[in-house]
Amino acid sequence: MIKIILSDIDGTFLKDDKSVCELHAKAIKAAVAKGLKFVFVSARMPEGIYPITDALGMAHTPVISYSGGLVLTEDEEVLFDKRIAAEDAQSILAAMKRWQDISVSCYAGRRWVTEKIDERIQREHENTGAPFELGNFDALLRENILPNKIFVRCEPPTCKEMETELSREFPALNVVRSAPHLLEVMDKSISKATGIEVLLKHYGYGVDEAIAFGDNYNDVEMLEMIPQSVAMANAPDRVKKLASAVTDSNEVGGIYTYLAKIGVIEP
């Protein structure tokens, strides 16, 4: 019996223009009304997730943010908080200075810090609703404010090059593109599956009592972990092959389609 629904946000729950798919909102409200838990599992920080849950009228829901690096209960109690080691953070931030025209952010707990405000930072703020602050990365590290995630926004060729070079240079870190123009850096031990494991244990659920929805490469561990895993139609072929099922795209309500198909909600 399904007790919890896990969903990625961008490219899965949200449409491509970052608006909420009405069918997805309908599906989640119906599932929650039946007593199921619904949890966003995202690379976003909590402040980039809560505006969505607020808009859905679901202000108090658990969240798994930073792709598993920070797990919060519905009461915002911290269940898990994994940071990048200071030495690793300092070294990779220094290495990133080799590239020009990139926008770098450090996400530390509930804080989003950047050293410069540009069009990419403004766009991310508009897309997520999360607040950011100007700061100095070296100063943060000296104060032992360590990042859960270092995030780079840049052009796709640069992003691919950075992923290749930095993943080779920093084997203790997970360096991965979450989109052609987005690069995420976290501790090597972190994935969406680690965050899900923490949350399921907290609530006493097994993996066979969950459904997971995802669309991209940073969803792979989640889709492999949950037996009833569902890839969106807009997912790359490799991701689709790893999931146990494929549903419609994020644009046309794939989550609704699948939940109605298996009888979790009424169509």
Side-chain angles (χ1 to χ4, degrees), residues 208-261:
D208 57 339
E209 296 175 300
I211 297 176
F213 292 90
D215 78 299
N216 219 321
Y217 295 113
N218 62 344
D219 296 316
V220 165
E221 291 86 356
M222 172 176 72
L223 297 176
E224 289 180 326
M225 175 190 189
I226 303 300
Q228 194 158 185
S229 59
V230 187
M232 311 302 286
N234 48 290
D237 288 341
R238 178 187 161 213
V239 176
K240 291 177 183 176
K241 290 176 182 177
L242 292 171
S244 63
V246 177
T247 188
D248 294 334
S249 77
N250 61 319
E251 292 288 312
V252 296
I255 294 175
Y256 175 92
T257 302
Y258 188 80
L259 293 179
K261 177 182 177 181

Coordinates of all heavy atoms in Angstrom, one line a residue, residues 208-261:
D208 N 8.9 0.0 -0.4 CA 7.7 -0.5 -1.2 C 6.4 0.2 -0.9 O 5.4 -0.1 -1.5 CB 7.6 -2.0 -0.9 CG 7.4 -2.3 0.6 OD1 7.8 -1.5 1.4 OD2 6.9 -3.4 0.9
E209 N 6.5 1.2 0.0 CA 5.3 2.0 0.4 C 5.4 3.4 -0.3 O 4.6 4.3 0.1 CB 5.2 2.1 1.9 CG 4.9 0.8 2.6 CD 4.8 0.9 4.1 OE1 5.9 1.3 4.7 OE2 3.8 0.5 4.7
A210 N 6.4 3.5 -1.2 CA 6.6 4.8 -1.8 C 6.5 4.8 -3.3 O 6.7 3.7 -3.9 CB 8.0 5.3 -1.4
I211 N 6.2 5.9 -3.9 CA 6.3 6.2 -5.3 C 7.2 7.3 -5.5 O 7.2 8.3 -4.8 CB 4.9 6.5 -6.0 CG1 4.0 5.3 -5.8 CG2 5.1 6.8 -7.4 CD1 2.6 5.6 -6.3
A212 N 8.1 7.3 -6.5 CA 9.1 8.4 -6.8 C 8.9 8.8 -8.2 O 8.9 8.0 -9.1 CB 10.5 7.9 -6.5
F213 N 8.9 10.1 -8.4 CA 8.8 10.7 -9.8 C 10.0 11.6 -10.0 O 10.4 12.4 -9.2 CB 7.6 11.6 -9.9 CG 6.3 10.8 -9.9 CD1 5.6 10.6 -8.7 CD2 5.7 10.4 -11.0 CE1 4.4 10.0 -8.6 CE2 4.5 9.7 -11.0 CZ 3.8 9.5 -9.8
G214 N 10.7 11.4 -11.2 CA 11.8 12.2 -11.6 C 12.0 12.3 -13.0 O 11.3 11.6 -13.8
D215 N 12.9 13.2 -13.4 CA 13.1 13.4 -14.9 C 14.6 13.6 -15.3 O 14.8 13.7 -16.5 CB 12.4 14.7 -15.3 CG 13.2 16.0 -14.9 OD1 13.4 16.2 -13.7 OD2 13.5 16.7 -15.8
N216 N 15.5 13.6 -14.4 CA 16.9 13.9 -14.8 C 17.9 13.0 -14.1 O 17.6 12.2 -13.3 CB 17.2 15.4 -14.6 CG 18.0 16.0 -15.8 OD1 18.9 15.3 -16.3 ND2 17.6 17.2 -16.2
Y217 N 19.2 13.3 -14.5 CA 20.3 12.4 -14.0 C 20.5 12.5 -12.5 O 20.9 11.5 -11.9 CB 21.6 12.8 -14.7 CG 21.5 12.5 -16.2 CD1 21.6 13.5 -17.1 CD2 21.4 11.2 -16.7 CE1 21.5 13.2 -18.5 CE2 21.3 10.9 -18.0 CZ 21.4 11.9 -18.9 OH 21.3 11.7 -20.3
N218 N 20.2 13.6 -11.9 CA 20.3 13.7 -10.4 C 19.1 13.0 -9.7 O 19.1 13.0 -8.5 CB 20.5 15.1 -9.9 CG 19.3 16.0 -10.2 OD1 18.4 15.7 -11.0 ND2 19.2 17.2 -9.6
D219 N 18.2 12.4 -10.5 CA 17.1 11.6 -9.9 C 17.5 10.1 -10.0 O 16.7 9.3 -9.5 CB 15.8 11.8 -10.7 CG 15.3 13.3 -10.5 OD1 15.4 13.8 -9.4 OD2 14.9 13.8 -11.5
V220 N 18.6 9.7 -10.6 CA 18.8 8.3 -10.9 C 18.9 7.5 -9.6 O 18.2 6.4 -9.5 CB 20.2 8.2 -11.6 CG1 20.7 6.7 -11.6 CG2 20.0 8.7 -13.1
E221 N 19.6 7.9 -8.6 CA 19.7 7.1 -7.3 C 18.3 7.0 -6.7 O 18.0 5.9 -6.1 CB 20.7 7.8 -6.4 CG 22.1 7.7 -6.8 CD 22.5 8.9 -7.7 OE1 21.6 9.7 -8.0 OE2 23.7 9.0 -8.0
M222 N 17.5 8.0 -6.7 CA 16.1 7.9 -6.2 C 15.3 6.9 -7.0 O 14.6 6.0 -6.4 CB 15.5 9.3 -6.3 CG 14.0 9.3 -5.9 SD 13.2 10.9 -5.9 CE 13.2 11.3 -7.6
L223 N 15.4 6.9 -8.3 CA 14.6 6.0 -9.1 C 15.1 4.6 -9.0 O 14.3 3.6 -9.1 CB 14.7 6.5 -10.6 CG 14.1 7.8 -10.9 CD1 14.3 8.2 -12.3 CD2 12.6 7.9 -10.5
E224 N 16.4 4.4 -8.7 CA 16.9 3.0 -8.5 C 16.5 2.5 -7.2 O 16.3 1.3 -7.0 CB 18.4 3.0 -8.7 CG 18.9 3.2 -10.1 CD 20.4 3.2 -10.3 OE1 21.1 3.7 -9.4 OE2 20.9 2.7 -11.3
M225 N 16.4 3.4 -6.2 CA 16.1 3.0 -4.8 C 14.6 2.6 -4.6 O 14.4 1.6 -3.9 CB 16.4 4.2 -3.9 CG 16.1 3.9 -2.4 SD 16.2 5.4 -1.4 CE 16.0 4.7 0.2
I226 N 13.7 3.3 -5.2 CA 12.3 3.0 -5.0 C 11.8 2.1 -6.1 O 11.8 2.3 -7.3 CB 11.5 4.4 -5.1 CG1 12.0 5.4 -4.1 CG2 10.0 4.1 -4.9 CD1 12.0 4.9 -2.6
P227 N 11.2 0.9 -5.7 CA 10.7 -0.1 -6.6 C 9.7 0.5 -7.6 O 9.7 0.2 -8.8 CB 10.1 -1.2 -5.7 CG 10.9 -1.1 -4.5 CD 11.1 0.4 -4.3
Q228 N 8.8 1.3 -7.1 CA 7.8 1.9 -8.0 C 8.3 3.3 -8.3 O 7.8 4.3 -7.8 CB 6.4 2.0 -7.3 CG 5.3 2.3 -8.3 CD 3.9 1.8 -7.8 OE1 2.9 1.9 -8.5 NE2 3.8 1.3 -6.6
S229 N 9.2 3.3 -9.3 CA 9.8 4.6 -9.7 C 9.3 5.0 -11.1 O 9.1 4.1 -12.0 CB 11.3 4.5 -9.8 OG 11.7 3.4 -10.6
V230 N 9.0 6.3 -11.3 CA 8.4 6.7 -12.5 C 9.2 7.9 -13.1 O 9.4 8.9 -12.5 CB 6.9 7.2 -12.2 CG1 6.2 7.5 -13.5 CG2 6.2 6.1 -11.4
A231 N 9.5 7.7 -14.4 CA 10.2 8.8 -15.1 C 9.2 9.5 -16.0 O 8.3 9.0 -16.5 CB 11.3 8.2 -16.0
M232 N 9.4 10.8 -16.1 CA 8.5 11.6 -16.9 C 8.9 11.4 -18.4 O 10.0 11.1 -18.7 CB 8.7 13.1 -16.5 CG 8.6 13.4 -15.1 SD 7.1 12.9 -14.3 CE 5.9 14.2 -14.9
A233 N 7.9 11.7 -19.3 CA 8.2 11.5 -20.7 C 9.3 12.4 -21.2 O 9.9 12.1 -22.2 CB 6.9 11.7 -21.5
N234 N 9.5 13.5 -20.6 CA 10.6 14.4 -21.0 C 11.9 14.1 -20.4 O 12.9 14.8 -20.7 CB 10.2 15.8 -20.5 CG 9.8 15.9 -19.1 OD1 8.7 15.4 -18.7 ND2 10.6 16.5 -18.2
A235 N 12.1 12.9 -19.7 CA 13.4 12.5 -19.2 C 14.2 11.9 -20.3 O 13.7 11.4 -21.3 CB 13.1 11.4 -18.1
P236 N 15.6 12.0 -20.1 CA 16.5 11.4 -21.1 C 16.2 9.9 -21.1 O 15.7 9.3 -20.1 CB 17.9 11.7 -20.5 CG 17.7 12.9 -19.7 CD 16.3 12.8 -19.1
D237 N 16.5 9.2 -22.2 CA 16.3 7.8 -22.4 C 17.0 7.0 -21.3 O 16.4 6.0 -20.8 CB 16.8 7.3 -23.7 CG 15.9 7.8 -24.9 OD1 14.7 8.2 -24.6 OD2 16.3 7.8 -26.0
R238 N 18.2 7.4 -20.9 CA 18.9 6.6 -19.9 C 18.1 6.6 -18.5 O 18.0 5.6 -17.8 CB 20.3 7.2 -19.6 CG 21.1 6.5 -18.5 CD 22.4 7.2 -18.2 NE 22.8 6.8 -16.9 CZ 23.5 7.6 -16.1 NH1 23.8 8.8 -16.4 NH2 23.9 7.1 -14.9
V239 N 17.5 7.7 -18.2 CA 16.7 7.8 -17.0 C 15.5 7.0 -17.1 O 15.1 6.3 -16.2 CB 16.4 9.3 -16.7 CG1 15.5 9.4 -15.4 CG2 17.7 10.1 -16.4
K240 N 14.8 7.1 -18.3 CA 13.6 6.3 -18.5 C 13.9 4.8 -18.3 O 13.1 4.1 -17.7 CB 13.0 6.5 -19.9 CG 12.5 7.9 -20.1 CD 12.0 8.0 -21.5 CE 11.5 9.4 -21.8 NZ 11.1 9.6 -23.2
K241 N 15.0 4.3 -18.8 CA 15.4 2.9 -18.7 C 15.6 2.4 -17.3 O 15.4 1.3 -16.9 CB 16.6 2.6 -19.5 CG 16.4 2.7 -21.0 CD 17.7 2.5 -21.8 CE 17.4 2.7 -23.3 NZ 18.7 2.6 -24.1
L242 N 16.0 3.3 -16.4 CA 16.2 3.0 -15.0 C 14.9 2.9 -14.1 O 14.9 2.3 -13.1 CB 17.2 4.0 -14.4 CG 18.6 4.0 -14.9 CD1 19.4 5.1 -14.3 CD2 19.3 2.7 -14.5
A243 N 13.9 3.6 -14.6 CA 12.6 3.6 -13.9 C 11.8 2.4 -14.2 O 12.0 1.8 -15.2 CB 11.9 4.9 -14.2
S244 N 10.9 2.1 -13.3 CA 10.0 1.0 -13.5 C 8.8 1.3 -14.4 O 8.1 0.4 -14.9 CB 9.5 0.4 -12.2 OG 8.7 1.4 -11.5
A245 N 8.6 2.6 -14.6 CA 7.5 3.0 -15.5 C 7.8 4.4 -16.0 O 8.6 5.1 -15.5 CB 6.2 3.1 -14.7
V246 N 7.1 4.8 -17.1 CA 7.2 6.1 -17.7 C 5.8 6.7 -17.9 O 4.9 5.9 -18.3 CB 7.9 6.0 -19.1 CG1 8.0 7.4 -19.7 CG2 9.3 5.4 -19.0
T247 N 5.7 7.9 -17.5 CA 4.4 8.6 -17.6 C 4.4 9.7 -18.5 O 5.4 9.9 -19.2 CB 3.9 9.0 -16.2 OG1 2.6 9.5 -16.2 CG2 4.8 10.1 -15.6
D248 N 3.4 10.5 -18.6 CA 3.3 11.7 -19.5 C 4.3 12.7 -19.0 O 4.9 12.6 -17.9 CB 1.9 12.3 -19.5 CG 0.9 11.4 -20.1 OD1 1.3 10.5 -21.0 OD2 -0.3 11.5 -19.8
S249 N 4.5 13.8 -19.8 CA 5.5 14.8 -19.5 C 5.1 15.7 -18.3 O 3.9 15.7 -17.9 CB 5.8 15.6 -20.7 OG 4.8 16.6 -20.9
N250 N 6.0 16.5 -17.9 CA 5.7 17.5 -16.8 C 4.7 18.6 -17.3 O 4.0 19.2 -16.6 CB 7.0 18.2 -16.3 CG 7.7 18.9 -17.5 OD1 7.8 18.4 -18.6 ND2 8.3 20.1 -17.2
E251 N 4.6 18.8 -18.7 CA 3.8 19.8 -19.2 C 2.3 19.4 -19.2 O 1.4 20.3 -19.2 CB 4.2 20.1 -20.7 CG 5.5 20.8 -20.8 CD 5.5 22.2 -20.4 OE1 4.6 23.0 -20.8 OE2 6.4 22.6 -19.6
V252 N 2.0 18.1 -19.2 CA 0.6 17.7 -19.4 C 0.1 16.8 -18.2 O -0.9 16.1 -18.3 CB 0.4 16.9 -20.7 CG1 0.7 17.8 -21.9 CG2 1.3 15.7 -20.8
G253 N 0.8 16.9 -17.0 CA 0.3 16.2 -15.8 C 0.7 14.8 -15.7 O -0.2 14.0 -15.3
G254 N 1.9 14.4 -15.9 CA 2.3 13.0 -15.8 C 2.1 12.4 -14.5 O 1.8 11.2 -14.4
I255 N 2.3 13.2 -13.4 CA 2.1 12.6 -12.1 C 0.6 12.3 -11.9 O 0.3 11.2 -11.4 CB 2.6 13.6 -11.0 CG1 4.1 13.8 -11.1 CG2 2.2 13.2 -9.6 CD1 4.6 14.9 -10.2
Y256 N -0.2 13.2 -12.3 CA -1.7 12.9 -12.2 C -2.0 11.6 -13.0 O -2.7 10.7 -12.5 CB -2.5 14.1 -12.7 CG -4.0 13.9 -12.8 CD1 -4.8 14.2 -11.8 CD2 -4.6 13.3 -14.0 CE1 -6.2 14.0 -11.8 CE2 -5.9 13.1 -14.0 CZ -6.7 13.5 -13.0 OH -8.1 13.2 -13.0
T257 N -1.5 11.5 -14.2 CA -1.8 10.4 -15.1 C -1.5 9.1 -14.4 O -2.3 8.1 -14.4 CB -1.0 10.5 -16.4 OG1 -1.3 11.7 -17.0 CG2 -1.3 9.3 -17.3
Y258 N -0.3 9.0 -13.8 CA 0.2 7.8 -13.2 C -0.6 7.4 -11.9 O -1.0 6.3 -11.7 CB 1.7 7.8 -12.9 CG 2.2 6.5 -12.5 CD1 2.5 5.5 -13.5 CD2 2.4 6.2 -11.2 CE1 3.0 4.3 -13.1 CE2 2.9 4.9 -10.8 CZ 3.2 4.0 -11.7 OH 3.6 2.7 -11.4
L259 N -0.8 8.4 -11.1 CA -1.5 8.1 -9.8 C -2.9 7.7 -10.1 O -3.5 6.9 -9.4 CB -1.4 9.4 -8.9 CG 0.0 9.8 -8.4 CD1 -0.2 11.0 -7.5 CD2 0.6 8.6 -7.6
A260 N -3.5 8.3 -11.1 CA -4.9 7.9 -11.4 C -4.9 6.5 -12.0 O -5.8 5.7 -11.7 CB -5.5 8.9 -12.4
K261 N -3.9 6.2 -12.8 CA -3.8 4.9 -13.5 C -3.7 3.7 -12.5 O -4.3 2.7 -12.7 CB -2.6 4.9 -14.4 CG -2.3 3.5 -15.1 CD -1.1 3.6 -16.0 CE -0.8 2.3 -16.6 NZ 0.5 2.4 -17.5

